[in-house]
Amino acid sequence: EAGVAQSPRYKIIEKRQSVAFWCNPISGHATLYWYQQILGQGPKLLIQFQNNGVVDDSQLPKDRFSAERLKGVDSTLKIQPAKLEDSAVYLCASSLGTGGPYEQYFGPGTRLTVT
Amino acid sequence: SQQGEEDPQALSIQEGENATMNCSYKTSINNLQWYRQNSGRGLVHLILIRSNEREKHSGRLRVTLDTSKKSSSLLITASRAADTASYFCATPPLGTSYGKLTFGQGTILTVHP
């Protein structure tokens, strides 16, 4: 079974530039998550999708971050404009659904460095 | 806000020894999950325990949950060098989506050969 795919794996940009990350979840997984993990901390949930609808985006900095999952499969997360404090690993995860507690499967992440 | 906090922050043991990590959380929960993260395999789910369960086993892992104390522990028996990783507990606070996991800061486990 193929895992969660993410690209790119690494990205270096200057502050005020924009960047986009892509995620393809495990086939058949209805729920997709984006997390931000700052060095030395646990992952923080940014946004949760159920199919192509948003379930929770309460921790997404909406003035600069946006995410979409147009066809209920893959997803993109965008930052515009980036700040130094956005330097982190961005993890995508998927799970079967939200109807019960399910384990989440994580991708390898995208390491973003903002200079 | 942080729901779970792991203790200790770092743990160093010899291969073959047991490792115990603790997690405390703030609000009532429906379930609690443990994850492991290392550079080789990324973040991987280890075990899920529901609020009506007190103990759960999976191979060399044993997880306990005490909802009265709002705490959980993860025991790794007969540790191996490959167990070297960061371990996180994660919970969705009661009343939120099952998927809204809040992770602690993690325990860094180092197992020396």
Side-chain angles (χ1 to χ4, degrees):
Chain A
E1 177 183 79
V4 176
Q6 289 188 248
S7 67
R9 293 294 308 277
Y10 304 92
K11 190 74 177 179
I12 301 174
I13 61 171
E14 295 182 350
K15 59 184 179 184
R16 291 186 289 274
Q17 287 186 326
S18 62
V19 64
F21 312 126
W22 174 83
C23 171
N24 187 253
I26 292 173
S27 177
H29 281 194
T31 308
L32 184 147
Y33 314 82
W34 283 103
Y35 289 85
Q36 179 193 58
Q37 186 175 22
I38 293 172
L39 187 64
Q41 299 181 17
K44 182 181 87 170
L45 180 67
L46 294 176
I47 189 167
Q48 176 185 348
F49 291 96
Q50 171 81 358
N51 296 312
N52 60 349
V54 175
V55 174
D56 190 297
D57 63 356
S58 57
Q59 299 189 101
L60 186 73
K62 298 180 186 66
D63 58 334
R64 298 184 301 106
F65 287 64
S66 64
E68 60 183 12
R69 193 185 184 199
L70 289 175
K71 296 182 179 179
V73 181
D74 56 356
S75 175
T76 55
L77 176 70
K78 298 178 182 177
I79 307 175
Q80 181 180 0
K83 293 185 176 181
L84 295 176
E85 59 260 37
D86 298 331
S87 293
V89 175
Y90 291 84
L91 296 165
C92 179
S94 69
S95 67
L96 278 173
T98 57
Y102 295 109
E103 64 180 280
Q104 296 184 18
Y105 295 81
F106 285 81
T110 296
R111 184 177 299 276
L112 174 67
T113 302
V114 182
T115 63
Chain B
S1 62
Q2 196 166 309
Q3 166 73 325
E5 290 188 10
E6 292 88 350
D7 172 67
Q9 289 188 343
L11 182 60
S12 182
I13 60 174
Q14 295 295 128
E15 221 170 19
E17 293 181 340
N18 295 342
T20 299
M21 288 157 271
N22 303 297
C23 169
S24 59
Y25 55 91
K26 298 175 183 175
T27 64
S28 296
I29 60 171
N30 175 276
N31 71 90
L32 184 144
Q33 303 181 31
W34 284 90
Y35 286 80
R36 177 181 65 207
Q37 186 175 41
N38 59 31
S39 58
R41 294 195 60 194
L43 195 60
V44 175
H45 178 269
L46 295 177
I47 200 162
L48 182 155
I49 186 166
R50 298 172 187 259
S51 59
N52 61 353
E53 298 175 306
R54 291 296 167 259
E55 188 171 310
K56 204 161 183 180
H57 297 254
S58 177
R60 294 184 295 113
L61 306 180
R62 172 179 168 253
V63 167
T64 62
L65 180 64
D66 187 335
T67 54
S68 66
K69 295 181 179 178
K70 292 187 170 59
S71 67
S72 174
S73 67
L74 170 67
L75 168 68
I76 305 174
T77 59
S79 63
R80 305 166 181 168
D83 295 326
T84 294
S86 293
Y87 291 81
F88 298 92
C89 65
T91 67
L94 200 63
T96 65
S97 158
Y98 283 119
K100 189 174 181 178
L101 294 181
T102 303
F103 285 77
Q105 297 222 0
T107 292
I108 300 172
L109 173 66
T110 304
V111 182
H112 300 280

